[in-house]
Amino acid sequence: MQLFVIKVGGNVIDNPALLQSFLQDLAAVQGPKVLIHGGGKIATRIGERLGIESKYVDGRRITDAATIDLVTMVYGGLVNKQVVAHLQALHCNAIGLTGADANIIPAVKRPVKEIDYGFVGDITSAALNIAPLKALLDVGLTPVFAPLTHDGQGQMLNTNADTIASSLATGLSAYYDVRLIYCFEKKGVLQNAEDDDSVIHLINREIYARLLEQKVLSDGILPKLENAFAAIESGVKEVLIGHAADVRSNTSGTVAGTLIC
Amino acid sequence: MQLFVIKVGGNVIDNPALLQSFLQDLAAVQGPKVLIHGGGKIATRIGERLGIESKYVDGRRITDAATIDLVTMVYGGLVNKQVVAHLQALHCNAIGLTGADANIIPAVKRPVKEIDYGFVGDITSAALNIAPLKALLDVGLTPVFAPLTHDGQGQMLNTNADTIASSLATGLSAYYDVRLIYCFEKKGVLQNAEDDDSVIHLINREIYARLLEQKVLSDGILPKLENAFAAIESGVKEVLIGHAADVRSNTSGTVAGTLIC
C-alpha cells in the first residue's frame, strides 16, 4: 500500500494563507499519510517576549534548558494543535504527536564535542517504534509530528524536522510503499539560487556529485538531499522536494518539484 | 474489563516532587488507564511574562484569543509533553492528547449569555468519539489528556479538566468497568475545610443533600461532586476523590479518600 510522509517547513508554518491552502491540499490526499511540521519563527518571537535569547554557535542554534521548554510549548503545543484543529475542520482525522508520544521516536542527546548543542536529539533508526504509529494509521488517523523527540529519561529533545521525516519514512517502508515529500517555499532544488524557476527535476547520486563539484547548490538544501539519499538507500520508494503549493500534483503521480532517486 | 480514568489537578502539576511520586504510582497501576491533567499556575506565570493578563468576571476566568493560544502552548505543549516524557521514563507507554486529536472531544464554544467566557468549550457527551480512544487503549497505550477541546471549525477551546474526566469516563463505560478518580491536594471531601483529616469516606445523593443543607462543603468541591454524580448516573461504576499521594491505594481496592456512589 502507498503511504505519503510529508514534511512542511517552518516558512510555510509562518505564512497563514500558504499554510491554510497547504492543509486543504493535504486533507484531500487519499490514503494513509503522515505529516511532519517544522517550527517556524514563532518560537523565536515568543522567546524574545519571554526574554529567552536565541543562541547560535557557528551559525547553529543551541537548545539550552529554557529553549527546549520554549520549543516544547510552541512546536508541540501551539503549532501542532493549531495544525491538528485545522485538519479536523477539513475532515482529516489528525492526531498531533511528538517523538515522546507512544515512544515512537526515542533519541540520544547529542554528545558534546567541539560544540555543546544542548537538548538536541539524534535519532537512531533502529530505535524507532513503528508499531504504534502503524496502529494509528490502521484506524484511519493522520499522525502530525512536531520536531521533538525525547531521551527516554524524561527529557524532551529538539530534533530537525527533515531528519524526523526521513527516519519515519524509512521505518514505515517496512510496511508501505513510502513516498517522502519535502514541502517548502521553493519549487524544488534550484540550479541557480537566484532563479526560482531553475528547478532541477531529477537528481540521482551521479548528478548530485556533479552539482556538488559545480558548487551550484545552496547550503540549506544539502542536508535535505543527504536525508533524501539516506531514505532511498534504506527502502523509501521515492523522495520529492517541492513547493508547499504543489503538494497536490506531487501526491498524484506528476512531479512538480525535484525527484530524488 | 476494569479501566481507571484518573484526573490530576493543577496544584499537583505545580508541585514537582508530588507530581513525580504521583506519576510513579500511576505508572505502577496495572491494566488500561487514562490520565487527564489540569493546567496549574504555570500558564498564569508564563502569561504574565508575555504580557497576557488573566481576566476574570465574577471570579471565573475568561479565555480571550491570547489566552487560548497561551493555554494551548502551556497545557497542550509544555505540561502535557513533560508528563508524557516522565511517564515514558517510568516505562508507561503514554501518548499525549488534546480533545482535538483524533477528534475525540469535539466541543461547542460556550454561548454568550450574561458573561462571554471567550474560547471555552462545553462538551456534549453524545458527540464524543470513543472509538479512536479505545483503539489507543487496545494497543496498550496510556492516553494523557490536556484540558483542551476544539470546535471542529479549527479553533481550540479551553475545557475544565474535571469535566473532560467525567465525560471520558462516561463514554468509556460502554466498553469497560470504569473507576473515575479525582486526585488533588486534599485527602478527600472534607467535613471541615480547616481540618485535613475530616474526610467523608462515603457520599451518596442522600448524604450529599444533607451536606448541602448543612453548608459544610467548600465551593471548589461542588462541581467535582456534580461531575461525579453525573458520571455514576451515566454508567461509571465508581468515583473516588482523594489525594494524589493516595492514588496507589485508590486503584487497588482500598479507599483512602471519598467514595461517591
Side-chain angles (χ1 to χ4, degrees), chain A residues 153-169:
Chain A
Q153 312 296 314
Q155 177 64 55
M156 296 298 293
L157 297 169
N158 197 0
T159 297
N160 179 275
D162 285 0
T163 309
I164 291 183
S166 63
S167 299
L168 291 178

Side-chain angles (χ1 to χ4, degrees), chain A residues 108-117 120 122:
Chain A
V108 173
K109 185 170 179 291
R110 186 170 297 169
V112 179
K113 290 178 186 167
E114 291 92 55
I115 301 180
D116 181 357
Y117 289 98
V120 166
D122 291 324

